[in-house]
Amino acid sequence: MNIINIENLTKSFTDHLLFENASFFVQEYEKVGIVGINGTGKSTLLKIIAGEEEPDEGSVIKANHIIISYLPQNPSFDDSKSIQENILLQTENETEAITILTKLNITDLTQIVGNLSGGQRKKIALAIALSHPADLLILDEPTNHLDYGMIEWLQTYLNNYRGTVIMVTHDRYFLDEVCNRIVEIDLGHIYSYDTNYSGFLERKTAREESQRSSEQKRQNILRREIAWIRRGARARSTKQKAHIQRYEALRDQEAPVLKEQLQMSSIASRMGRTTVELHDICKGYEGKELISHFEYVFLKNDRIGFIGNNGCGKTTLMKMIAGVESPDSGTVTVGQTISLGYFHQEIAWMDPEERVIDYIKETGEYIPTADGKISASNMLERFLFTPDQQYSPIGKLSGGEKRRLALLNILMANPNFLILDEPTNDLDTETLAILEDYLEFFPGIVVTVSHDRHFLDRVVKRIFAFESDGIHQYEGGYTDYLQKAAIPFWDQGSDSSFERSSRTDNTNSQKDARSTWKKHDQKPKFTYQEQREYETIEDDIASLEAQIEALDRDIAANASSYGKLTELTAQKDALEEDLLNKLQRWEYLEELAEQIEQAK
């Protein structure tokens, strides 16, 4: 049973169109993950479903008597009151909320909310949202600020949740383990995939390959149509005018926007013999020892990940490496040739009136790569900033887009030692993939703190874990660490293989068909069959074009149904192949007709 139906949704934010005539539905007991790059409207879509915002056009139909619990991206509280007082204000299920807060490592309920960090406030809001008895749970970035144990607990909680869940999260392992449907927002359209995140990646790849194939066919058909137009119609009939109109529509059709993959070998600043050396580092706060006698010498091209529970000292260690803080004892030696790039958890203030491209150009006009210099504008495009966004003020960007911009700003400074403290917070899955690709080719040292298990598995080669008896070293990524530390992993991941249906290769059959075309002798003439075919072929072409137009309308109407979409796309592929063959056949017959006319 559908509990949410969204029909013909259109929504703009300032002058930016988020959705245009988008439709999709949510069924009872589904676990739906919404993905898309920052600024595409994921949080706005959640607000519309939750009733916090209204669409510009379209309708949101909810099942009768449905109860919704909503976790916003930026929760609001009475900052003058304590945690417990805020819980009493926002939920009737105080006991359940307090129990969940204990799981999230918040036990002092007398703390004034106004004095808490953003992460602590998000945990309180999460506990309140989960404590509400609800048919539909809407969660905007529920894993932000949670450490590994808390993420595992929340994952288990949602897997056992007897209701419907719609969430936005950038934790790809979390999406894999919890969700059974992925909804992608891309360029104002909504695509639905009945699978987890791994399956979504495979199906999206198949969709984009199909788009590329369709565009190639469109170009082939267009070339044939251009030839038809240049030869001129045989008669100024209504049929010929309709054919010209179809050609013009095909010519004016926009090609699918397919994003460029970021593959480049960066050239970092030269690195000398001395990199960064930590000797006998000790650090504590308020009588609590965080780091005790830690030593490490970073090697060229190191990929290091620091992990541990919140508050264990990871960020403090990053600050000491960057020179922002000093150790209580011990030394941090930074080589003269080391150029540090430090990406903080909290991004620095940006002038909201400054243009995006000017902000980047202040750091660097170009970034050197093995293939030559890449301009600031080109780098912005590769990090998913459109030309329009580049010349817009920073104030128009979403929080995630500003974080992406700050990250690119650091990369443009051409460092050879990158310190990334929670780089995955508020970055969408596509940007994370771009960052991971960039770091794969980065010829310097990368040190990161992250709760994103997929990011750690993809990027790091060595883990330092903050454990109860000190900092311990493990070789490999996060999954390797779990195995070597003998920590139970809730599920190493399901089989994400995706069986794609293969279409029959009809290349040979096309060749066979062409080989049977009648070859004319020295004096050109039509056979009886060719004459009949010549008289009717334009009607056949018009019929195929009309069928393709009808299928395009059906595809647009069924964009949210993967099964139906696959069936319709296959039908369209077959019709386009027939159309291309007809156009090639028409071209041959038209040439023959001209030769016959000239021979008279």
Side-chain angles (χ1 to χ4, degrees):
M1 180 184 81
N2 290 0
I3 63 170
I4 298 288
N5 277 299
I6 293 179
E7 298 175 358
N8 302 318
L9 175 67
T10 298
K11 180 70 176 179
S12 296
F13 179 72
T14 62
D15 58 350
H16 178 49
L17 182 65
L18 297 177
F19 310 106
E20 184 174 22
N21 296 322
S23 301
F24 88 109
F25 61 88
V26 178
Q27 292 183 316
E28 196 173 15
Y29 305 122
E30 279 193 309
K31 304 289 197 303
V32 180
I34 299 177
V35 301
I37 68 172
N38 294 124
T40 54
K42 300 187 298 295
S43 292
T44 300
L45 181 59
L46 293 190
K47 289 176 183 177
I48 290 172
I49 296 172
E52 299 288 320
E53 282 194 21
E54 294 294 327
D56 297 337
E57 296 177 19
S59 60
V60 180
I61 304 168
K62 301 172 186 175
N64 292 334
H65 311 299
I66 185 174
I67 299 173
I68 295 175
S69 182
Y70 170 49
L71 170 70
Q73 189 173 32
N74 299 302
S76 60
F77 298 99
D78 186 334
D79 288 349
S80 65
K81 296 184 182 297
S82 69
I83 296 174
Q84 188 157 17
E85 288 171 321
N86 272 281
I87 288 174
L88 290 171
L89 286 172
Q90 297 194 31
T91 182
E92 297 178 358
N93 200 341
E94 178 189 6
T95 303
E96 178 69 10
I98 292 173
T99 300
I100 293 171
L101 276 178
T102 303
K103 299 284 188 183
L104 301 178
N105 202 27
I106 293 180
T107 55
D108 184 0
L109 305 182
T110 64
Q111 297 177 87
I112 301 301
V113 170
N115 298 330
L116 300 179
S117 68
Q120 290 171 313
R121 293 166 69 94
K122 190 65 178 277
K123 289 177 184 177
I124 296 166
L126 176 60
I128 291 171
L130 296 181
S131 69
H132 283 299
D135 305 299
L136 172 59
L137 190 57
I138 301 176
L139 305 174
D140 197 347
E141 294 293 358
T143 61
N144 270 11
H145 308 289
L146 301 186
D147 61 33
Y148 308 101
M150 295 174 191
I151 292 173
E152 180 178 351
W153 172 83
L154 179 60
Q155 184 172 291
T156 303
Y157 182 96
L158 293 179
N159 279 331
N160 295 328
Y161 183 74
R162 295 184 178 181
T164 305
V165 179
I166 305 175
M167 74 175 80
V168 170
T169 179
H170 303 141
D171 188 317
R172 290 156 290 181
Y173 281 165
F174 195 82
L175 287 168
D176 243 0
E177 296 301 320
V178 174
C179 296
N180 53 26
R181 182 148 74 100
I182 300 295
V183 170
E184 181 192 19
I185 303 174
D186 186 24
L187 300 173
H189 300 288
I190 294 177
Y191 301 93
S192 180
Y193 305 83
D194 294 322
T195 180
N196 63 2
Y197 185 74
S198 295
F200 152 72
L201 290 177
E202 300 225 29
R203 294 187 182 186
K204 180 181 178 180
T205 300
R207 174 172 68 83
E208 290 181 342
E209 287 174 353
S210 176
Q211 286 179 324
R212 289 187 180 93
S213 175
S214 293
E215 174 59 12
Q216 185 175 17
K217 288 175 186 174
R218 184 180 78 91
Q219 293 295 337
N220 289 335
I221 292 170
L222 188 57
R223 279 192 290 272
R224 302 292 178 184
E225 293 278 22
I226 289 171
W228 182 88
I229 291 291
R230 286 176 176 169
R231 290 180 189 277
R234 284 177 290 164
R236 297 298 177 185
S237 64
T238 302
K239 178 178 67 176
Q240 300 297 345
K241 291 176 183 177
H243 196 149
I244 292 171
Q245 289 172 352
R246 284 190 294 272
Y247 153 73
E248 290 173 343
L250 190 68
R251 177 198 63 195
D252 297 336
Q253 180 180 323
E254 290 187 7
V257 179
L258 299 171
K259 300 177 182 69
E260 180 182 7
Q261 296 297 312
L262 178 68
Q263 291 183 347
M264 61 182 187
S265 299
S266 305
I267 299 177
S269 305
R270 185 185 67 84
M271 191 181 299
R273 181 172 297 179
T274 303
T275 58
V276 174
E277 301 178 357
L278 309 179
H279 297 291
D280 201 28
I281 299 296
C282 295
K283 185 70 175 181
Y285 277 111
E286 299 178 352
K288 179 183 178 183
E289 187 177 58
L290 296 177
I291 300 168
S292 177
H293 304 289
F294 180 66
E295 297 207 3
Y296 188 71
V297 175
F298 289 95
L299 307 175
K300 293 180 180 179
N301 299 315
D302 251 348
R303 297 291 190 271
I304 305 295
F306 287 92
I307 66 172
N309 293 335
N310 292 336
C312 67
K314 304 185 299 295
T315 293
T316 299
L317 182 56
M318 297 301 101
K319 289 179 178 178
M320 288 190 288
I321 295 172
V324 177
E325 288 192 17
S326 299
D328 295 340
S329 62
T331 59
V332 178
T333 303
V334 179
Q336 291 184 346
T337 59
I338 292 298
S339 174
L340 285 169
Y342 181 23
F343 186 59
H344 304 250
Q345 278 198 48
E346 303 296 333
I347 61 174
W349 180 84
M350 300 176 179
D351 182 355
E353 301 300 322
E354 185 176 20
R355 296 189 308 179
V356 169
I357 193 162
D358 293 334
Y359 173 79
I360 289 296
K361 283 185 174 180
E362 286 176 5
T363 302
E365 293 272 354
Y366 298 91
I367 186 169
T369 74
D371 301 319
K373 292 181 177 180
I374 295 180
S375 68
S377 177
N378 193 273
M379 281 297 290
L380 280 164
E381 282 198 49
R382 293 185 181 214
F383 274 77
L384 307 178
F385 289 99
T386 65
D388 287 343
Q389 284 180 310
Q390 292 179 30
Y391 288 91
S392 296
I394 291 173
K396 287 191 175 182
L397 300 180
S398 69
E401 288 171 321
K402 290 177 183 175
R403 193 160 172 80
R404 191 196 317 155
L405 183 64
L407 175 60
L408 177 56
N409 192 48
I410 289 165
L411 299 180
M412 289 298 294
N414 198 28
N416 54 23
F417 192 114
L418 276 174
I419 303 172
L420 306 175
D421 193 357
E422 294 293 0
T424 62
N425 279 359
D426 299 318
L427 290 184
D428 55 80
T429 53
E430 194 161 343
T431 302
L432 289 176
I434 289 172
L435 176 60
E436 289 163 356
D437 287 343
Y438 180 90
L439 295 177
E440 182 178 351
F441 296 102
F442 179 74
I445 298 169
V446 178
V447 180
T448 186
V449 169
S450 177
H451 289 120
D452 189 313
R453 300 158 291 175
H454 185 283
F455 181 80
L456 291 171
D457 273 344
R458 176 82 191 276
V459 171
V460 309
K461 306 300 181 188
R462 180 171 297 145
I463 293 276
F464 284 99
F466 283 67
E467 298 174 352
S468 58
D469 58 344
I471 302 174
H472 295 277
Q473 177 178 328
Y474 299 86
E475 297 304 306
Y478 182 75
T479 302
D480 297 314
Y481 152 73
L482 287 176
Q483 294 169 344
K484 293 170 184 175
I487 297 174
F489 192 20
W490 53 94
D491 185 356
Q492 294 289 346
S494 57
D495 181 6
S496 61
S497 61
F498 172 68
E499 296 183 9
R500 281 171 279 189
S501 59
S502 58
R503 292 192 295 270
T504 304
D505 183 1
N506 57 7
T507 304
N508 292 333
S509 62
Q510 290 178 22
K511 290 180 179 178
D512 292 342
R514 293 192 192 101
S515 68
T516 64
W517 294 353
K518 181 71 175 178
K519 301 278 194 305
H520 51 274
D521 50 27
Q522 289 186 347
K523 185 177 180 180
K525 65 178 181 179
F526 280 131
T527 65
Y528 174 79
Q529 184 65 34
E530 285 174 337
Q531 180 67 49
R532 293 287 304 272
E533 188 180 6
Y534 184 54
E535 293 169 355
T536 61
I537 193 166
E538 287 195 6
D539 288 333
D540 295 340
I541 289 170
S543 174
L544 287 169
E545 288 173 333
Q547 292 178 63
I548 291 170
E549 286 178 9
L551 275 173
D552 282 335
R553 291 192 293 272
D554 289 343
I555 288 171
N558 291 275
S560 61
S561 172
Y562 178 77
K564 187 66 174 176
L565 197 61
T566 302
E567 177 187 340
L568 293 172
T569 301
Q571 292 176 25
K572 183 182 176 184
D573 286 342
L575 286 173
E576 284 181 336
E577 286 289 348
D578 289 344
L579 177 59
L580 186 57
N581 286 334
K582 281 288 184 184
L583 286 167
Q584 290 172 332
R585 181 63 170 165
W586 167 85
E587 189 175 21
Y588 161 74
L589 293 171
E590 190 67 24
E591 287 176 355
L592 181 54
E594 288 182 2
Q595 292 171 11
I596 293 171
E597 186 66 27
Q598 292 169 1
K600 286 182 180 178

